[in-house]
Amino acid sequence: MDKLQGVGVSHGVAVGQVRHMGTAVLEPPARQIDAEEAPREQQRARQAVEAVAADLTARGELAGGEAQAVLEAQALMAQDPELIADVERRVTVGGTAERAVYDAFSTYRELLAGAGEYLAGRVADLDDVRNRIVARLMGVPMPGVPDSDEPYVLVARDLAPADTALLDPALVLGFVTEEGGPTSHSAILARALGVPAVVALPGAGELAEGVVVAVDGANGEVVVDPDEAERERLVRVAAEHRAALASASGPGATSDGHKVPLLANVGGPADVAAAVEAGAEGVGLFRTEFLFLDDSERAPSEEKQVAAYRAVLEAFPEGRVVVRVLDAGADKPLAFLSPGEEPNPALGVRGLRTLLDHPEVLRTQLTALARAAEGLPVYLEVMAPMVADRADARAFADACREAGLTAKVGAMVEIPSAALRARSVLQEVEFLSLGTNDLAQYTFAADRQVGAVARLQDPWQPALLDLVALSAEAAKAEGKSCGVCGEAAADPLLACVLTGLGVTSLSMGASAIPHVRAALAQHTFAQCERAASAARAADGAERARQAARAVLSGE
Ligand code: PEP
Ligand code: MG
């Protein structure tokens, strides 16, 4: 019985046989074709690209929500005009369609991988697109989720969005990946599906096909070939967890009644049903950039935006809906707003900086939001991503006022400077919302898309908890609110710690809400405060987690 340690990113326990993802990279033979075959090969390549793009789009429609946006971005990748031109050129000089696709994508892949930052994070998506096109051209099965009638634990190097979106929770008991960090797309999608998941597990690829593993998505532990006693323990933990889930309902609160509203993170109207079903008390983060991915040339029209915003606002009558204005750049590139070549896009013009450079895009979005909320009883709040300082906060608040918005205006705390100077930022805005995904990235200089530095993106890092505490204390002193809308809020144990640090609301993917509600309901506010102090006093993320667990379980 071996124990492997990865990073738990989606709660629950799964015990089952390992099935590896079919990731074989198909390398087509390098065969020279005659010049007269070129037009036919070019046509085959074009047809395969179109079919794969259509398939990705269809998978997206089936999956809905954030998964849809990711899959549609992949469909756009497949149809990239420069890539297609490169494929055609390679066929003209004697390559087969499959070899030309393979080589063109591989060249582009090298460029992306070498470009660092967010571009490297898109390599898995690009490889997946290439493998799909090549498989189609070679007439072999698509790479992807294994065929199995029996439930299994899916193991992969990294999961492409196209696969995670279609995982069948009835067959896939859980998943384990070698790459990926806690805030990667795969982790976010796993939580959306509600399957236990562990990422950044060294050696995952070497697990034998068919061996039984126990995956604990809370603590990141994977036990290989667990003995009877260990299996019984895990089954018991899972049963206790289910019982706790079943007994908690209603608004979020500690056992002694300290209220912590539980809100949902949504990517658009398609995510609303799951949020309502999970009992979300509103929306704490509406990621509006997914609306902007449809057209790489321009922003969606004001009318289209009004309709999408209204659909979300109407789902929470009397509730609170916090909309984040467009967060473009770095890991969320948008061609028409691209600042051009930047050596470090995550440190460049992104988020609010992009919008301040394109005031017309911000103005249209704010006007659309004001119109969408007209006549509705909802409490609309609007916040800006990537606020660095008071000047940023003022510029955003001014833009909101100029657009005639009466909503509460807030700032996301994603850059350490904003946390360190939270009181100054709060002179301009009415609330703070901690984006712990980016806050971890910038605090530890650790790209959120790189599995190798996942250790540093762990939101249990005491340095990150210190910044959360600073922000919450500043908000309290100013009589304002400070929520968390990063992935940290979705970890039930950490949610108790964040509550103890003084945050006033928690926003997460809908599937995490029942788990967080149950965890809060089992502890008093004073216990949460003690757990928070113990975690902050620890050296390192794992020790912080253990210290908090010890306090909360009364050990
Ligand atoms: C964050 O950075 O924590 C956040 C909520 O924003 P996103 O994950 O969309 O960058
Ligand atoms: Mg962010």
Side-chain angles (χ1 to χ4, degrees):
M1 189 171 89
D2 270 347
K3 271 194 187 165
L4 305 175
Q5 187 65 51
V7 179
V9 293
S10 181
H11 277 257
V13 173
V15 182
Q17 289 193 346
V18 163
R19 291 273 175 276
H20 284 270
M21 186 86 166
T23 50
V25 178
L26 302 161
E27 184 171 347
R31 180 172 69 80
Q32 275 298 114
I33 57 162
D34 296 333
E36 61 270 21
E37 286 182 69
R40 194 181 67 91
E41 287 298 284
Q42 285 177 337
Q43 192 185 357
R44 279 183 65 229
R46 273 196 301 273
Q47 280 170 344
V49 162
E50 274 159 29
V52 166
D55 176 55
L56 289 165
T57 309
R59 282 164 178 261
E61 277 162 13
L62 211 64
E66 295 190 9
Q68 181 168 12
V70 174
L71 289 167
E72 283 174 357
Q74 270 194 304
L76 282 179
M77 251 181 204
Q79 293 164 302
D80 184 287
E82 278 183 33
L83 262 171
I84 293 179
D86 191 23
V87 169
E88 295 194 339
R89 191 187 56 73
R90 287 170 192 272
V91 172
T92 316
V93 296
T96 58
E98 42 270 52
R99 188 72 212 186
V101 167
Y102 184 83
D103 288 340
F105 273 71
S106 301
T107 306
Y108 190 44
R109 176 191 206 283
E110 294 315 310
L111 277 177
L112 283 193
E117 295 293 335
Y118 75 91
L119 291 175
R122 300 275 71 85
V123 163
D125 297 2
L126 186 76
D127 283 350
D128 181 56
V129 172
R130 177 198 61 194
N131 290 350
R132 282 169 195 280
I133 302 172
V134 171
R136 180 169 284 272
L137 284 165
M138 293 176 73
V140 298
M142 291 286 164
V145 178
D147 276 339
S148 172
D149 298 333
E150 296 293 315
Y152 58 89
V153 172
L154 181 66
V155 179
R157 226 176 103 67
D158 202 358
L159 285 169
D163 301 314
T164 27
L166 283 195
L167 290 181
D168 177 354
L171 277 183
V172 179
L173 299 166
F175 69 69
V176 174
T177 66
E178 188 146 357
E179 295 284 325
T183 58
S184 61
H185 285 303
S186 292
I188 293 173
L189 291 169
R191 281 190 288 270
L193 272 178
V195 292
V198 171
V199 301
L201 186 86
E206 276 110 65
L207 287 169
E209 183 84 5
V211 70
V212 173
V213 289
V215 180
D216 188 335
N219 62 15
E221 223 170 67
V222 174
V223 184
V224 185
D225 201 9
D227 59 24
E228 214 34 56
E230 180 67 3
R231 282 194 205 201
E232 273 171 26
R233 187 188 70 79
L234 286 163
V235 169
R236 205 173 46 247
V237 169
E240 280 167 11
H241 188 59
R242 275 197 301 277
L245 278 187
S247 65
S249 62
T254 57
S255 60
D256 56 338
H258 175 84
K259 286 197 168 39
V260 190
L262 302 179
L263 310 168
N265 290 356
V266 302
D271 293 337
V272 160
V276 173
E277 163 85 21
E281 294 163 62
V283 168
L285 169 62
F286 178 1
R287 290 184 162 102
T288 56
E289 45 284 352
F290 292 101
L291 248 180
F292 288 69
L293 292 174
D294 281 353
D295 186 341
S296 57
E297 308 276 298
R298 60 189 71 81
S301 69
E302 190 176 310
E303 292 312 318
K304 186 172 172 193
Q305 293 191 48
V306 172
Y309 302 149
R310 206 167 166 91
V312 174
L313 295 177
E314 278 173 344
F316 293 95
E318 318 275 333
R320 183 173 155 209
V321 175
V322 186
V323 181
R324 173 176 76 189
V325 293
L326 179 64
D327 183 16
D331 58 330
K332 311 178 191 82
L334 271 184
F336 74 99
L337 291 178
S338 161
E341 280 291 299
E342 288 183 321
N344 287 305
L347 302 181
V349 180
R350 58 160 300 196
L352 177 64
R353 303 165 186 181
T354 309
L355 290 176
L356 296 178
D357 277 358
H358 296 269
E360 69 296 345
V361 175
L362 178 58
R363 197 175 319 113
T364 306
Q365 189 172 23
L366 295 173
T367 311
L369 280 166
R371 284 181 52 200
E374 259 166 34
L376 295 180
V378 68
Y379 298 100
L380 172 66
E381 301 186 5
V382 179
M383 65 184 181
M386 300 290 295
V387 170
D389 59 6
R390 182 171 176 173
D392 270 355
R394 184 182 318 129
F396 179 61
D398 286 348
C400 290
R401 272 190 291 272
E402 280 161 25
L405 208 65
T406 51
K408 264 193 182 180
V409 173
M412 285 187 77
V413 176
E414 304 188 277
I415 306 178
S417 58
L420 292 166
R421 290 305 181 109
R423 280 195 84 161
S424 146
V425 170
L426 280 164
Q427 302 313 304
E428 306 293 342
V429 292
E430 289 151 284
F431 68 94
L432 298 179
S433 181
L434 286 144
T436 47
N437 308 337
D438 277 314
L439 190 56
Q441 159 164 271
Y442 294 117
T443 302
F444 296 101
D447 190 325
R448 60 191 277 189
Q449 301 189 89
V450 176
V453 291
R455 177 183 81 78
L456 294 168
Q457 293 140 4
D458 190 328
W460 280 94
Q461 287 281 2
L464 187 71
L465 301 180
D466 285 350
L467 292 175
V468 170
L470 270 181
S471 310
E473 281 157 16
K476 189 170 179 197
E478 294 292 328
K480 295 180 177 177
S481 63
C482 175
V484 173
C485 67
E487 296 302 314
D491 173 339
L493 193 62
L494 186 50
C496 296
V497 166
L498 295 171
T499 300
L501 291 174
V503 310
T504 52
S505 63
L506 296 165
S507 189
M508 65 208 83
S511 69
I513 291 178
H515 301 271
V516 170
R517 180 189 290 121
L520 283 175
Q522 285 170 337
H523 305 289
T524 62
F525 183 53
Q527 274 178 313
C528 293
E529 285 185 317
R530 279 201 297 281
S533 304
R536 278 183 79 188
D539 267 336
E542 194 41 47
R543 290 197 176 165
R545 194 182 271 116
Q546 282 165 5
R549 188 175 288 127
V551 171
L552 292 175
S553 61
E555 280 168 18

